[in-house]
């Protein structure tokens, strides 16, 4: 199998570089393949989002993927971006141990507030979850992520669109030339490899993958089924539920859930 075919099978390729003399880390990827998988997921689960919401989500997904590629390989990150206009929540997560990114858009039961909020959760290995919340302005996930870097990670980071569906993240490392970093613009990014010395650090591969299945969804329903089954099914024989990570739809019958619970009790 050729290298190109092997890379394609592994998923989206993200390359990271060290910008020598500037002490910055650059991550870059073309997200066309990942977006195709995302749209196939929507079609498979009969999910439809407004075009404006969809565009916001795709930018947040790209930001998470580039962020994950620049983080330790034992780290799992999850972001929830709460926008007040439009009133939506965007959830994205990146898992460096399983090389996956996933997420979804929430438009229902989103509580209005005074400002946009950026919720971050990080787990590194077996350590406890680290949580942070920062406020941000505007409707662009890239700007929100930059503000998160500055407020929560105490360092600068910049996101750029290099080309259509081709994005770049440059984040400050110790002793970074922050004046140079903050002075970058789209034109400078296009000729960065000509003006700066870049050293390839590694290639990582990410897939659009959740891993949810019917058994996992039924596990979520078991406590309610034991406490008050009527409130769960409301007189119907089947219910439809969505995965909280990716939005995939599952149809579960009362008979299926009862059989699942009986099997677990007999184990």
């Amino acid at each position: 199998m050729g290298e190109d075919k092997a890379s394609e099978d592994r998923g989206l390729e993200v390359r990271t570089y060290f910008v020598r003399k500037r002490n910055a880390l650059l991550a870059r990827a073309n997200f066309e393949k990942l977006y195709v998988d995302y749209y196939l997921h929507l079609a498979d689960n009969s999910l439809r989002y407004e075009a404006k919401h969809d565009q916001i989500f795709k930018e947040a997904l790209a930001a998470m993927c580039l962020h994950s590629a620049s983080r330790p390989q034992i780290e799992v990150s999850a972001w929830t971006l709460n926008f007040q206009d439009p009133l939506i929540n965007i959830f994205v997560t990146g898992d460096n141990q399983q090389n996956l990114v996933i997420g979804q858009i929430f438009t229902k039961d989103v509580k209005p507030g005074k400002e946009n909020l950026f919720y971050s959760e990080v787990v590194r290995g077996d350590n406890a979850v680290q949580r942070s919340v920062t406020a941000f302005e505007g409707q662009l996930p890239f700007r929100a992520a930059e503000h998160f870097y500055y407020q929560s990670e105490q360092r600068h980071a910049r996101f750029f669109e290099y080309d259509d569906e081709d994005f770049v993240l440059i984040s400050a490392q110790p002793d970074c030339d922050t004046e140079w970093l903050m002075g970058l613009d789209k034109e400078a990014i296009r000729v960065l490899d000509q003006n700066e010395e870049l050293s390839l650090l590694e290639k990582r591969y990410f897939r659009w993958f959740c891993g949810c299945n019917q058994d996992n969804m039924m596990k979520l329903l078991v406590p309610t089924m034991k406490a008050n089954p009527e409130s769960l099914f409301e007189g119907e024989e089947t219910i439809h539920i969505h995965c909280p990570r990716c939005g995939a739809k599952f149809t579960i019958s009362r008979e299926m859930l009862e059989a699942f619970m009986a099997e677990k009790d007999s184990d």
Side-chain angles (χ1 to χ4, degrees):
M1 180 183 291
E3 182 179 352
D4 291 344
K5 178 61 177 175
S7 298
E8 181 179 342
D9 291 344
R10 281 182 284 183
L12 169 75
E13 180 184 275
V14 184
R15 297 191 179 197
T16 55
Y17 301 83
F18 185 69
V19 186
R20 298 176 65 86
K21 301 179 183 178
R22 303 295 189 180
N23 291 339
L25 181 68
L26 183 150
R28 179 184 174 187
N30 185 301
F31 285 84
E32 180 181 3
K33 175 177 173 54
L34 189 69
Y35 289 159
V36 168
D37 291 341
Y38 158 63
Y39 283 124
L40 290 174
H41 169 79
L42 296 187
D44 289 343
N45 290 278
S46 301
L47 296 171
R48 289 189 177 184
Y49 300 135
E50 292 184 19
K52 184 176 183 179
H53 299 170
D54 179 72
Q55 190 60 39
I56 294 173
F57 175 79
K58 290 198 298 181
E59 185 171 301
L61 187 69
M64 169 54 74
C65 191
L66 294 173
H67 169 76
S68 295
S70 65
R71 302 297 298 171
Q73 293 186 341
I74 60 171
E75 188 169 287
V76 179
S77 299
W79 295 344
T80 299
L81 284 68
N82 167 238
F83 292 90
Q84 292 300 307
D85 182 20
L87 187 60
I88 58 173
N89 282 342
I90 300 290
F91 170 78
V92 287
T93 183
D95 187 332
N96 279 333
Q97 299 180 68
Q98 300 186 60
N99 300 110
L100 62 85
V101 288
I102 203 75
Q104 67 164 311
I105 304 171
F106 294 92
T107 59
K108 296 181 179 179
D109 302 320
V110 180
K111 294 182 179 180
K114 296 181 179 179
E115 56 189 351
N116 299 339
L117 294 174
F118 191 114
Y119 298 88
S120 170
E121 292 190 345
V122 180
V123 179
R124 185 178 295 182
D126 296 327
N127 296 324
V129 179
Q130 298 179 3
R131 296 182 173 89
S132 67
V133 182
T134 58
F136 67 93
E137 298 180 353
Q139 301 174 343
L140 299 177
F142 281 171
R143 304 292 83 81
E146 289 173 354
H147 191 68
F148 157 73
Y149 265 84
Y150 183 70
Q151 291 291 329
S152 293
E153 299 212 349
Q154 303 295 305
R155 61 192 176 105
H156 290 288
R158 305 285 306 283
F159 289 87
F160 296 95
E161 181 182 13
Y162 184 90
D163 204 347
D164 187 34
E165 299 182 344
D166 190 335
F167 303 109
V168 172
L169 163 65
I170 302 184
S171 55
Q173 304 302 300
D175 299 320
C176 176
D177 184 345
T178 55
E179 183 177 354
W180 166 83
L181 176 59
M182 299 309 294
L184 291 172
D185 55 22
K186 190 172 182 178
E187 287 68 31
I189 292 299
R190 290 183 178 277
V191 294
L192 194 69
D193 59 343
Q194 301 173 31
N195 297 331
E196 304 294 339
E197 186 178 349
L198 305 181
S199 299
L200 179 64
L201 295 177
E202 63 178 333
K203 302 175 185 178
R204 294 193 192 177
Y205 298 87
F206 291 87
R207 299 171 296 141
W208 172 274
F209 180 74
C210 181
C212 59
N213 55 47
Q214 200 165 61
D215 281 1
N216 289 339
M217 295 301 104
M218 287 195 287
K219 287 179 183 178
L220 298 176
L221 299 177
V222 167
T224 304
M225 185 65 175
K226 289 182 177 180
N228 190 349
E230 296 309 317
S231 69
L232 186 61
F233 283 91
E234 297 181 339
E236 302 292 333
E237 287 302 312
T238 61
I239 56 174
H240 304 288
I241 64 172
H242 293 270
C243 171
R245 281 162 46 95
C246 72
K249 183 169 65 175
F250 295 86
T251 300
I252 297 176
S253 69
R254 181 189 291 261
E255 182 179 0
M256 289 167 52
L257 187 53
E258 289 174 344
F260 177 81
M261 293 171 61
E263 180 181 356
K264 294 303 177 182
D265 289 340
S266 65
D267 288 344

